[in-house]
Amino acid sequence: MKGELVSILTADHVRLDGFYVEAASDISAEGPFDAAVISHGLGGNFYGAKLLKHIAAFLGGRGIACVLANNRGHDLVNWSSREAKLATLGAAFEKVGECSFDVEAWTDFLTERGHSRILLAGHSLGAIKTLYSAANPTAAADG
């Protein structure tokens, strides 16, 4: 699958990485979505989950661009930047209430790429985070 490695910065200054896959150029998405944020489950990541890659290929073949999106809970432990400082993150340190920052940042990324009808999808804990973030925008997230 061809795509682009991308990085975002969340509103609370956490750097996250992902993989952006354009939709098939010869197909126009006529359904309700033109792009999707696809989130991994507990301790997962965007680069190791075969299921997420299959979902992206399926959607891309139907005219829907995708971003396979890491969130701050990727891998058991990870080190990232947070407010320009090294931060220990990952599933072992995650506060699920902060997931809204991640989902909204990935949605903003897709909006900046010209997409407006965005599907939020997730596997396992990623699905829970997707639902939580839809019900609790960052203005209400208290960590």
Side-chain angles (χ1 to χ4, degrees):
M1 173 177 5
K2 291 183 181 180
E4 173 186 0
L5 289 172
V6 294
S7 295
I8 59 162
L9 189 63
T10 65
D12 66 338
H13 308 286
V14 173
R15 182 183 174 275
L16 298 172
D17 299 310
F19 189 71
Y20 177 69
V21 181
E22 286 281 349
S25 59
D26 58 340
I27 299 172
S28 175
E30 296 179 13
F33 306 109
D34 65 353
V37 176
I38 305 173
S39 299
H40 58 78
L42 177 68
N45 52 55
F46 78 87
Y47 45 85
K50 286 184 181 181
L51 174 64
L52 302 187
K53 293 173 188 173
H54 288 296
I55 292 170
F58 177 85
L59 293 174
R62 284 148 185 81
I64 300 171
C66 298
V67 63
L68 301 175
N70 261 359
N71 58 60
R72 64 191 69 210
H74 74 85
D75 301 298
L76 181 59
V77 176
N78 73 74
W79 294 270
S80 184
S81 64
R82 186 173 195 161
E83 298 180 2
K85 296 178 185 173
L86 187 63
T88 305
L89 301 171
F93 299 96
E94 184 172 24
K95 295 177 185 174
V96 174
E98 294 178 341
C99 68
S100 297
F101 291 108
D102 304 345
V103 174
E104 288 180 17
W106 284 117
T107 301
D108 290 346
F109 167 82
L110 288 174
T111 300
E112 291 168 8
R113 292 284 174 118
H115 303 290
S116 59
R117 299 171 291 135
I118 300 170
L119 168 69
L120 302 178
H123 171 257
S124 190
L125 184 58
I128 292 169
K129 291 178 184 179
T130 295
L131 293 171
Y132 180 90
S133 65
N136 298 282
T138 56
D142 61 357

